């Protein structure tokens, strides 16, 4: 029997509270003991990735209590209930099925009169078939010319995840001969966004993907109208240039404005939709359906690993538990995501939404106020760029901020050069390991401006190279980490009421239904 209890009612959590500041990184990472710790505090992940947590402030005692917390909070049982189709999204009274997009972890899940795994597989096949016809030239523009570009129109989870995944694989695909179509994205309702994209592409050879599950998202429909206007002014047939990714009940379904529509359902949240048609259509058109299939395979491997009950064999659960220790016991307010891979340039932005929209909650899954902190602020930039930006605060600021490094031994393009006795990739990796140790050990100096306190915890996810399977595994790792933390905090990680109020007020402003301060602010913009 699963019991949904607040974190502060669990006896293991109370035990964990007594272990604040249990570890000095300067002590455990010094000398031969430090080398041994780096070797031992590592967990194999999916797709050849590894999770090293030697530089996080945990020891055997803390890890034992975290294991007890995982058991008491029934993390494995709750995950099992989720992938077997229990109604986990209590706010919207829905199942949560994004894991089913990439594999069958449990039994058959039926809803809306069908086997949902079969439904998702069928949509993936339809997308693959469509992409194949586009690449072969069977589907062309009005002049019989092949399409060369794809442009996704969407916002939030319809943009951040797919854009991050596309950028993560673009260089790899070009190096491996897997690049079929250039991809662009329009998300912001600011007309400058759409204008800049449209001016940078040949719209006569572009397929536009409109992504909106409900078919009513104001920003997306506004940008759709903007694009349709451009197509019509260019004398192009809108229905030969647009497809939709939506639900079967939306106004976009079975609509003559689109040459094809691919379907998702309400059981896939926007920020969890990169492995659905939301990411599948653009990635399959850009790189081919086989690349998208590899991406799903990596995610499926990571999901399977997340079913492990032993936290030292379950990187996502362990990462989540240590994150709870850092947030709720150590009191750290933020987490920085620091990928030392240019391909992951937009991955931190995606994780901002994934984490902060999921667990930025102050009431539990039953709507009751909670008395402990929940989701941290997530931010980040690729290394080494971030080193010349906000690392000053990370090293010497008043707040200690946990850091999550992501790095790869090899680059994606296999193109490099030796400069001053080392390659660029070697310099990149040298910076990763140097930063981990610098943050952990700091530096004594009689000059206060040159003193580094150290004791800044970090972890490292690393692998050979960023490619489709590793990217899928990396994405699923963070999705599962966020899920486990939501279970621990007893919040609903799968709704997002916090984004709704501003939308409602914006509609009131446009309808001139305003008063008081809202009306005065509207006057500033002549509304």
């Amino acid at each position: 029997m699963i019991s949904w209890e607040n974190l502060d009612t669990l006896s293991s959590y109370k035990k964990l509270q007594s272990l604040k500041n249990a570890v000095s990184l300067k002590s455990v990472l010094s000398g031969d003991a430090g080398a041994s710790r780096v070797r031992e505090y590592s967990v194999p992940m999916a797709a050849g990735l590894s999770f090293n947590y030697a530089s996080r402030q945990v020891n055997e005692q803390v890890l034992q209590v975290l294991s007890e917390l995982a058991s008491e909070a029934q993390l494995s049982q709750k995950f099992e209930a989720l992938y077997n189709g229990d109604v986990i999204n209590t706010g919207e009274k829905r199942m949560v099925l994004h894991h089913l997009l990439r594999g069958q972890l449990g039994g058959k899940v039926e809803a809306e009169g069908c086997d949902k795994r079969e439904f998702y597989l069928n949509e993936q096949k339809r997308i693959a078939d469509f992409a194949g016809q586009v690449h072969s030239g069977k589907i062309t523009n009005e002049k019989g010319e092949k399409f060369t570009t794809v442009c996704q129109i969407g916002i939030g989870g319809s943009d951040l995840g797919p854009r991050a995944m596309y950028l993560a694989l673009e260089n790899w695909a070009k190096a491996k001969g897997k690049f079929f179509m250039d991809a662009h994205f329009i998300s912001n309702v600011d007309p400058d966004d759409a204008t800049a994209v449209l001016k940078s592409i040949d719209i006569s050879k572009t397929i536009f993907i409109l992504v909106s599950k409900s078919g009513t998202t104001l920003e997306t429909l506004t940008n759709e109208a903007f694009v349709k206007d451009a197509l019509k002014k260019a004398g192009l047939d809108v229905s030969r240039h647009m497809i939709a990714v939506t639900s079967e009940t939306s106004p976009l379904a079975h609509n003559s404005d689109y040459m094809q529509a691919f379907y998702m359902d309400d059981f896939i949240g926007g920020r969890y939709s990169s492995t659905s048609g939301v990411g599948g259509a653009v990635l399959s058109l850009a790189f081919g359906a086989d690349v998208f299939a590899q991406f799903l395979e990596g995610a499926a491997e990571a999901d399977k690993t997340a079913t492990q009950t032993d936290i030292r064999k379950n990187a996502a659960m362990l990462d989540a538990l240590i994150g709870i220790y850092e947030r709720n016991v150590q009191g750290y307010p933020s987490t920085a995501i620091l990928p030392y891979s240019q391909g992951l340039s937009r991955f931190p932005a995606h994780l901002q939404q994934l984490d902060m929209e999921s667990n930025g909650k102050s009431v539990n899954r039953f709507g009751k106020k909670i008395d402990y902190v929940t989701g941290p602020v997530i931010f980040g930039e690729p290394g080494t760029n971030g080193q010349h930006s906000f690392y000053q605060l990370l090293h010497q600021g008043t707040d200690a901020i946990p850091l999550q490094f992501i790095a790869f031994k090899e680059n994606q393009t296999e193109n490099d050069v030796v400069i001053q006795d080392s390659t660029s990739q070697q310099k990149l990796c040298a910076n990763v390991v140097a930063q981990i140790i610098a943050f952990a050990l700091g530096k004594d100096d009689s000059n206060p401006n040159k003193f580094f306190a150290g004791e800044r915890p970090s972890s490292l996810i690393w692998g050979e190279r960023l490619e489709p399977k590793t990217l899928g595994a990396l994405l699923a790792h963070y999705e599962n980490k966020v899920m486990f933390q939501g279970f621990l905090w007893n919040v609903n990680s799968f709704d997002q009421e916090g984004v709704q109020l501003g939308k409602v007020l914006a509609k009131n402003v446009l309808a001139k239904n305003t008063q008081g301060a809202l009306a005065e602010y509207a006057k500033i913009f002549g509304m």
Side-chain angles (χ1 to χ4, degrees):
M1 182 70 177
I2 290 178
S3 178
W4 298 92
E5 305 292 341
N6 283 2
L7 178 65
D8 58 2
T9 67
L10 304 180
S11 59
S12 50
Y13 174 70
K14 294 171 184 176
K15 187 187 297 188
L16 193 65
Q17 292 283 351
S18 69
L19 299 179
K20 184 175 183 179
N21 302 325
V23 174
S24 164
L25 293 175
K26 292 181 181 179
S27 297
V28 299
L29 286 175
S30 296
D32 291 341
S36 176
R37 180 180 169 96
V38 172
R39 289 191 297 269
E40 293 173 6
Y41 277 46
S42 183
V43 176
M45 299 170 63
L49 294 172
S50 293
F51 173 67
N52 190 289
Y53 58 102
S55 295
R56 293 177 85 167
Q57 293 165 321
V58 297
N59 57 15
E60 294 303 311
Q61 185 181 19
V62 172
L63 290 168
Q64 176 58 40
V65 177
L66 291 178
S67 180
E68 294 170 12
L69 179 59
S71 178
E72 187 178 5
Q74 301 177 295
L75 297 187
S76 293
Q77 295 95 316
K78 287 171 181 175
F79 183 28
E80 185 177 4
L82 182 149
Y83 63 67
N84 279 320
D86 280 17
V87 177
I88 299 297
N89 180 350
T90 51
E92 297 170 318
K93 296 180 175 58
R94 293 172 181 164
M95 297 183 292
V96 176
L97 300 183
H98 56 274
H99 299 89
L100 206 57
L101 293 165
R102 51 248 193 172
Q104 189 94 41
L105 288 171
K108 181 187 291 188
V109 178
E110 294 185 332
E112 300 175 333
C114 69
D115 178 332
K116 297 310 293 185
R117 175 63 179 157
E118 291 301 318
F119 171 75
Y120 298 143
L121 284 172
N122 184 61
E123 291 307 304
Q124 289 167 15
K125 183 180 184 303
R126 291 180 63 230
I127 290 170
D129 290 345
F130 178 81
Q133 291 181 63
V134 171
H135 298 155
S136 69
K138 187 173 182 179
I139 294 176
T140 64
N141 70 3
E142 297 93 327
K143 295 181 181 180
E145 300 168 323
K146 290 181 72 170
F147 288 105
T148 61
T149 305
V150 56
C151 180
Q152 182 134 317
I153 306 169
I155 197 166
S158 300
D159 167 73
L160 287 164
R163 188 193 296 250
M165 301 308 117
Y166 170 78
L167 292 173
L169 296 178
E170 182 180 17
N171 283 332
W172 173 88
K174 288 176 177 177
K176 295 294 184 181
K178 295 286 187 178
F179 190 81
F180 292 95
M181 298 174 74
D182 193 26
H184 295 262
F185 298 82
I186 297 173
S187 59
N188 200 331
V189 75
D190 182 342
D192 290 343
D193 185 18
T195 298
V197 171
L198 293 175
K199 285 187 174 181
S200 70
I201 61 178
D202 181 349
I203 63 172
S204 71
K205 297 180 180 179
T206 300
I207 293 176
F208 293 90
I209 308 173
L210 187 75
V211 183
S212 175
K213 183 162 56 179
S214 67
T216 60
T217 308
L218 178 62
E219 296 96 331
T220 301
L221 294 183
T222 299
N223 280 326
E224 179 199 27
F226 201 101
V227 168
K228 283 183 173 179
D229 181 66
L231 288 168
K232 290 173 182 176
K233 286 178 177 176
L236 299 169
D237 180 354
V238 169
S239 67
R240 296 289 296 271
H241 289 268
M242 300 195 84
I243 65 174
V245 177
T246 189
S247 67
E248 290 186 279
T249 58
S250 91
L252 308 181
H254 313 293
N255 187 318
S256 60
D257 280 355
Y258 311 103
M259 57 176 148
Q260 189 59 269
F262 302 105
Y263 300 117
M264 55 191 300
D265 57 38
D266 286 335
F267 309 123
I268 309 299
R271 57 195 175 276
Y272 297 95
S273 66
S274 291
T275 49
S276 76
V278 174
V282 65
L283 296 179
S284 296
L285 285 166
F287 309 131
D290 62 325
V291 170
F292 183 62
Q294 292 171 44
F295 172 64
L296 294 179
E297 186 179 346
E301 285 185 19
D303 290 341
K304 188 173 182 180
T305 301
T307 65
Q308 290 275 358
T309 56
D310 182 349
I311 67 171
R312 300 216 196 191
K313 296 179 180 178
N314 186 334
M317 188 182 291
L318 180 59
D319 198 5
L321 287 159
I322 298 175
I324 293 291
Y325 177 70
E326 290 169 342
R327 183 76 175 108
N328 294 88
V329 179
Q330 299 289 78
Y332 298 138
S334 306
T335 298
I337 309 295
L338 308 171
Y340 277 62
S341 168
Q342 187 59 30
L344 294 175
S345 60
R346 290 296 289 170
F347 194 62
H350 169 60
L351 295 188
Q352 273 188 331
Q353 187 200 17
L354 174 66
D355 201 311
M356 295 170 71
E357 194 169 86
S358 294
N359 291 336
K361 310 290 174 63
S362 57
V363 297
N364 68 14
R365 56 191 293 106
F366 306 112
K368 303 294 184 182
K369 182 74 175 173
I370 52 181
D371 297 322
Y372 45 83
V373 295
T374 57
V377 173
I378 303 294
F379 68 97
E381 272 289 313
T384 56
N385 295 26
Q387 293 177 199
H388 295 266
S389 175
F390 53 80
Y391 277 38
Q392 168 62 45
L393 183 147
L394 298 182
H395 276 293
Q396 293 183 307
T398 53
D399 281 323
I401 295 173
L403 318 162
Q404 299 215 312
F405 291 93
I406 304 168
F408 301 91
K409 292 172 67 175
E410 305 292 340
N411 64 36
Q412 291 183 300
T413 61
E414 302 176 19
N415 179 42
D416 208 343
V417 63
V418 175
I419 301 172
Q420 297 178 353
D421 301 322
S422 61
T423 66
S424 298
Q425 185 67 24
Q426 288 170 335
K427 291 180 175 68
L428 182 70
C429 294
N431 273 276
V432 176
V433 298
Q435 289 295 332
I436 291 172
I437 296 303
F439 280 117
L441 302 186
K443 181 177 78 75
D444 289 329
D445 200 296
S446 59
N447 182 341
N449 285 331
K450 296 183 179 181
F451 173 79
F452 291 74
E455 301 297 341
R456 265 63 170 169
S458 68
S459 59
L460 170 65
I461 294 175
W462 65 276
E464 289 292 322
R465 181 180 288 110
L466 179 61
E467 50 194 15
K469 279 190 69 173
T470 53
L471 180 64
L474 186 64
L475 174 70
H477 170 86
Y478 279 100
E479 289 181 347
N480 292 327
K481 173 193 172 183
V482 167
M483 173 193 70
F484 285 131
Q485 288 189 326
F487 290 162
L488 286 158
W489 283 315
N490 199 29
V491 299
N492 179 11
S493 301
F494 306 105
D495 66 3
Q496 56 284 330
E497 291 300 322
V499 306
Q500 302 303 326
L501 178 58
K503 291 182 180 181
V504 172
L505 293 179
K507 289 180 179 179
N508 288 343
V509 171
L510 292 171
K512 303 190 184 304
N513 181 25
T514 60
Q515 58 184 350
L518 185 63
E520 288 304 309
Y521 275 117
K523 287 179 183 177
I524 292 174
F525 299 99
M527 303 177 76

